[in-house]
Amino acid sequence: MKWPLILFLLFLATGAFFPKASSQTTWEWELSSGPIVIRDGESLPHPFAGGLTAPQWSAIDIDGDGDEDAFAFDRDGNRVLIFERLNDPALGWKERPDWSVGWPELNHWVLLRDFDCDGLPDLFTGYQNSIHVWRNMGGPGVPAFEPFAVPLMASWDFGNGAQSLPVVCLTIDKPSISDVDNDGDLDIITFTETSTTLYRFSGQLACGLDLTCTNRCYGMFTEGSEDNSLFIGPDHDCSFNVVDPRFHEESSEEWNARDGMHAGGAITAIQLDGENFHDLLIADVTYPTSMALLLEDAMDGQDSTAWVDEAFPSLLPHAGTADSVNLPRFPAAFPFDTDADGDLDLVFSPNTTLETDDDASVHHWKNIGSSESPQWAFDSNQWLQDGMLDFGRGAAPVFADFDNDGDWDIAISNKERYEGVGQTPTDLALLRNTGSSEVPEFDLITTQAIDFQTNGVESVHPTFGDLDNDGDLDLIVGDELGRIHQYENTSGPGEWPTWEMETLSVTDNEGNPIDVGQFATPQLLDLNQDGFLDMLIGEKNGTLTLYLGCSDEWGLTWCLVTTDESGENWAGISVDNALGINGYSVPALYAGPDGWHVFVANELGAVQSFGNVDPTNPFAVLPSINASLGNFHPGLRGAAAFADLNADGIPEWLMGIQNGGLRWFQGTSTHVSELDGPPIAWSVHPNPAAANAEVTLTSNRSFRQSKTVFQWITLNGKCVGNPTLAASLPQKFITPESPGIYGLKIWSERKTGTSTLEAPVLIRFVVLDR
């Protein structure tokens, strides 16, 4: 049965898809592309993709449209991101949050390769110094994998007969997986345990994974044990190869005598010199360059290194502004036809998360030659990354109305921004909401609102409140040492803020510096509803400390809260953590119609819910209600913020992560059927319509509303894309990108001088395959 016909029959069978029911009682969220963000006058294609640190790249046609999309696995946080290649090359790429769900748990490294010749890339990933393979059983737009070889085995012969043992790939490494001899099966090249020589595992069966270890000195070279120097020709010595099995007692002793220290290596097989035979790109963890090993084909399988370009591509044909790859650390290479011209380009990203340039971690080298005679030209050090908000390392967002115009602006701090070893300043970025309280749109105003370095403040976390009762928002920041610092807003009410240092190391009412240990993450709020701002502070050890705002003859001061039940640990909260040690708690309490909702982010990248604060006893112990809102873990070291950005009564959720960027979670109702609405007085034509097609919204009776907003919703109540403001009727707009049954939610603001909203209308809509 054809897909459009299936949808049409389902449409006929669901005639009562939107019955009236009671209002929603719980909040849910969906990972979303988020609202528009403008930087330097241009709209970012994927502002809320979360940033990148150590991504690994593979090609996959995930939507089955005939072109290759980009799969990225970031070693920092074990994150999956997928970017759709848009039909118009001028439009480039778009991150698809909906395509990043449904993948198995992944670690260390990931490469997508089609081993069974079914046209669907299968998944190879590292696990405990071996390789696990998951077979792709899905279809277009639906990743579905099942374990196939966990671990992947190979036949080994050390001279005493063959035996089946796991394929070796240390987890710090990145192997080469490709058909290097063009015989229809995959071959794998990895570093040996000593990191000085290479294993080659040769495929024996076309469209299968029957592997044999055919070489333990592949390329006939030796790498220095203390640096990245290479020894070839007569300087190379290998006494323990497989096809030349001189593996006797003396060589075994030599093997075991090596220190076994493995610094880390990344290998990529690719044709570099136009000789129709693969070569190797090799990188080491402590070096910024990539070495090219030009190989000679040998009939006996002893492919040997003829010569070496120690700073690829300086000795090979190249053009442009750079002569060699230059990443601060460990530049792993990923061949990928990024411009769809039929030849392989190269993407280099660090294969480590340590001491690397986090916000410039995707170096793109275009092949401006051909497959047969490549010529390399440096293109960008932020390929795809330049389309997202990436502030270096450790982003922490906060919602606030800085200009007092009735909508939410955003501040984002970072832990650090890499400018070289030992040069990692902390910053504060500001995004101004130039949209409205129903349809937000943001403009990146600055990435360096304050010079924290002048006062030696590091790893800041911001919070805002009117601390001097002058009508504007002042700033409190926590720092890496656990201290609190206060900055006064000198701009005045309604003006875009400017902050100046007022108090370095804020003290409590007894004159003691407030110090929670390490990595203080404060939130200003009136927790006990007495009219004074209070300060709730998270910290490295995963607990929360509460200081009430109290008044003395000098004005506002801070009074530490302790209880017999929890001591200084407010509400007895201790967030989940990775090793039972820390937690890195970040409070993100949200004021709902039923009081304060206690949300706290943690180092696992989850947001935990601890229920609601009891207004009659705001210091009472709160048990954990939900260990992970929505079961979302977008990245490590989460920092969350909640606010209702579209005036629908459901808070949106913005999550900063260790990778330096932000993930946007759109607030939704629990189910579409739980939304009340008057008789439908709207229509959309045509209905059904194709995906990505233009349709028109009209009304069959006169409405005198001032604003009409509409939003696509899936069967289970999830928002698709961003809400749209209808400037006038009829209104033309575009259908969703994926086929299915949707609801079009429409709501309006009445012209009554109030913000009262009409109950939403829901129109059932069918999107057909293109």
Side-chain angles (χ1 to χ4, degrees):
M1 185 181 293
K2 298 293 185 182
W3 175 242
L5 180 57
I6 294 174
L7 284 179
F8 185 66
L9 293 176
L10 187 56
F11 170 73
L12 294 178
T14 54
F17 178 56
F18 295 121
K20 292 185 179 181
S22 61
S23 299
Q24 62 94 26
T25 57
T26 61
W27 295 330
E28 290 187 355
W29 293 269
E30 66 171 2
L31 183 60
S32 167
S33 298
I36 294 171
V37 175
I38 305 297
R39 182 180 64 194
D40 297 331
E42 296 185 0
S43 176
L44 295 177
H46 28 258
F48 298 102
L52 294 168
T53 302
Q56 302 171 340
W57 301 89
S58 297
I60 178 174
D61 181 8
I62 196 167
D63 53 359
D65 64 353
D67 57 31
E68 291 184 328
D69 307 302
F71 168 95
F73 171 76
D74 199 328
R75 289 187 78 133
D76 191 5
N78 297 329
R79 304 169 57 222
V80 169
L81 296 173
I82 304 177
F83 297 83
E84 180 183 10
R85 189 194 300 264
L86 302 180
N87 294 330
D88 184 352
L91 298 177
W93 304 78
K94 177 184 178 182
E95 195 251 338
R96 293 291 303 267
D98 52 327
W99 289 357
S100 65
V101 297
W103 296 80
E105 184 176 346
L106 304 170
N107 293 283
H108 308 305
W109 59 266
V110 175
L111 296 172
L112 301 181
R113 302 289 187 267
D114 182 9
F115 77 82
D116 53 4
C117 308
D118 65 353
L120 300 174
D122 306 297
L123 192 153
F124 292 72
T125 185
Y127 185 80
Q128 294 183 351
N129 298 331
S130 65
I131 296 176
H132 282 196
V133 181
W134 293 65
R135 191 170 191 171
N136 190 342
M137 307 299 292
V142 186
F145 296 88
E146 64 178 22
F148 180 81
V150 288
L152 179 61
M153 307 294 283
S155 175
W156 297 67
D157 189 345
F158 299 105
N160 297 317
Q163 54 184 313
S164 182
L165 296 170
V167 173
V168 172
C169 181
L170 301 192
T171 54
I172 196 174
D173 290 352
K174 195 278 293 185
S176 169
I177 304 177
S178 62
D179 184 5
V180 298
D181 47 14
N182 297 313
D183 63 352
D185 53 47
L186 291 178
D187 308 297
I188 299 177
I189 303 171
T190 72
F191 268 104
T192 62
E193 293 86 343
T194 63
S195 79
T196 58
T197 58
L198 300 182
Y199 286 125
R200 171 169 166 174
F201 301 91
S202 299
Q204 306 297 309
L205 177 66
C207 301
L209 275 180
D210 185 4
L211 295 168
T212 296
C213 180
T214 55
N215 208 308
R216 291 194 290 149
C217 293
Y218 188 67
M220 302 304 288
F221 75 93
T222 306
E223 186 174 9
S225 59
E226 297 181 357
D227 54 33
N228 68 341
S229 58
L230 293 179
F231 304 95
I232 63 175
D235 296 325
H236 160 68
D237 178 34
C238 180
S239 59
F240 47 90
N241 209 345
V242 174
V243 294
D244 181 16
R246 290 174 284 168
F247 190 78
H248 45 73
E249 185 176 352
E250 290 79 5
S251 63
S252 178
E253 291 175 356
E254 176 188 349
W255 178 274
N256 293 325
R258 302 185 181 199
D259 64 16
M261 296 299 292
H262 187 89
I267 310 167
T268 300
I270 183 174
Q271 197 278 109
L272 296 173
D273 57 2
E275 293 188 359
N276 197 31
F277 183 71
H278 73 277
D279 307 294
L280 298 177
L281 286 172
I282 292 180
D284 282 351
V285 68
T286 54
Y287 293 89
T289 57
S290 180
M291 297 180 291
L293 281 63
L294 284 297
L295 301 186
E296 290 181 342
D297 189 4
M299 298 300 295
D300 62 357
Q302 298 288 322
D303 305 327
S304 59
T305 302
W307 62 280
V308 178
D309 182 351
E310 295 183 353
F312 170 84
S314 61
L315 302 182
L316 292 167
H318 66 279
T321 59
D323 292 322
S324 63
V325 172
N326 186 13
L327 268 169
R329 282 184 181 273
F330 213 172
F334 302 91
F336 182 22
D337 186 2
T338 58
D339 51 10
D341 64 353
D343 55 43
L344 290 177
D345 308 292
L346 282 169
V347 179
F348 290 86
S349 291
N351 203 44
T352 179
T353 64
L354 302 175
E355 293 185 358
T356 188
D357 193 348
D358 301 77
D359 55 356
S361 57
V362 190
H363 290 218
H364 182 219
W365 287 74
K366 294 183 66 174
N367 182 358
I368 61 175
S370 64
S371 296
E372 295 75 19
S373 300
Q375 182 179 6
W376 308 101
F378 175 70
D379 173 59
S380 171
N381 63 1
Q382 293 181 306
W383 183 69
L384 294 186
Q385 192 176 19
D386 61 1
M388 63 184 72
L389 295 169
D390 192 333
F391 301 101
R393 192 135 182 99
V398 176
F399 289 112
D401 185 2
F402 293 124
D403 47 7
N404 199 27
D405 64 351
D407 54 37
W408 293 107
D409 309 300
I410 305 175
I412 308 104
S413 68
N414 63 356
K415 179 181 182 294
E416 60 191 24
R417 184 185 69 254
Y418 183 85
E419 294 183 351
V421 177
Q423 301 178 44
T424 52
T426 187
D427 285 320
L428 183 69
L430 300 178
L431 275 67
R432 187 171 191 166
N433 190 343
T434 56
S436 68
S437 58
E438 293 89 5
V439 184
E441 179 176 322
F442 296 96
D443 193 355
L444 179 60
I445 302 299
T446 180
T447 59
Q448 297 174 291
I450 296 177
D451 180 11
F452 293 107
Q453 287 66 54
T454 297
N455 298 108
V457 179
E458 298 181 350
S459 301
V460 301
H461 184 99
T463 185
F464 302 91
D466 186 359
L467 298 173
D468 50 12
N469 199 32
D470 64 352
D472 56 29
L473 293 179
D474 305 301
L475 167 65
I476 289 278
V477 299
D479 73 4
E480 186 170 332
L481 300 178
R483 299 294 183 96
I484 301 295
H485 313 287
Q486 183 170 331
Y487 293 77
E488 181 186 1
N489 186 350
T490 60
S491 295
E495 300 297 324
W496 195 248
T498 300
W499 294 286
E500 295 181 1
M501 170 62 74
E502 180 175 350
T503 305
L504 186 65
S505 193
V506 173
T507 58
D508 62 16
N509 63 317
E510 296 182 355
N512 300 314
I514 295 176
D515 185 349
V516 297
Q518 289 180 282
F519 293 98
T521 56
Q523 181 182 11
L524 289 171
L525 70 171
D526 186 3
L527 188 70
N528 59 356
Q529 301 179 25
D530 65 351
F532 291 100
L533 284 174
D534 309 309
M535 183 163 52
L536 186 62
I537 310 174
E539 50 207 283
K540 181 179 179 179
N541 71 2
T543 60
L544 300 175
T545 304
L546 175 63
Y547 285 86
L548 292 180
C550 46
S551 181
D552 60 18
E553 59 181 316
W554 305 106
L556 181 67
T557 187
W558 305 105
C559 298
L560 176 65
V561 171
T562 62
T563 64
D564 293 338
E565 193 168 8
S566 305
E568 295 182 5
N569 179 12
W570 177 73
I573 289 173
S574 182
V575 298
D576 295 339
N577 55 75
L579 300 173
I581 301 173
N582 298 315
Y584 292 96
S585 53
V586 180
L589 277 65
Y590 175 75
D594 51 350
W596 286 107
H597 293 253
V598 181
F599 299 135
V600 188
N602 61 34
E603 69 173 320
L604 302 177
V607 173
Q608 294 178 246
S609 172
F610 294 88
N612 287 49
V613 174
D614 182 354
T616 65
N617 186 9
F619 315 134
V621 171
L622 295 173
S624 178
I625 302 299
N626 189 335
S628 177
L629 290 186
N631 200 29
F632 290 116
H633 295 80
L636 299 177
R637 292 285 297 274
F642 293 83
D644 185 1
L645 271 293
N646 57 2
D648 65 351
I650 306 171
E652 275 60 59
W653 162 19
L654 187 57
M655 187 77 147
I657 55 177
Q658 182 169 273
N659 306 76
L662 309 167
R663 291 306 253 167
W664 188 279
F665 296 90
Q666 191 69 33
T668 72
S669 60
T670 303
H671 298 288
V672 170
S673 61
E674 294 180 348
L675 293 169
D676 288 323
I680 294 177
W682 305 84
S683 60
V684 183
H685 301 285
N687 183 5
N692 269 333
E694 184 179 86
V695 293
T696 302
L697 173 68
T698 59
S699 173
N700 61 3
R701 64 182 175 91
S702 176
F703 282 83
R704 292 181 294 176
Q705 73 284 349
S706 59
K707 294 179 181 178
T708 297
V709 183
F710 53 92
Q711 167 80 62
W712 290 110
I713 302 177
T714 63
L715 276 169
N716 60 354
K718 305 296 185 181
C719 294
V720 178
N722 301 315
T724 302
L725 178 65
S728 61
L729 295 176
Q731 174 73 40
K732 295 185 182 297
F733 57 102
I734 303 300
T735 60
E737 298 177 342
S738 301
I741 298 179
Y742 294 83
L744 185 67
K745 175 185 172 185
I746 308 167
W747 66 98
S748 304
E749 186 177 15
R750 295 172 180 159
K751 278 190 173 179
T752 61
T754 70
S755 59
T756 303
L757 296 178
E758 293 186 350
V761 173
L762 290 164
I763 299 176
R764 180 178 51 205
F765 196 94
V766 175
V767 176
L768 304 177
D769 203 356
R770 291 183 281 194

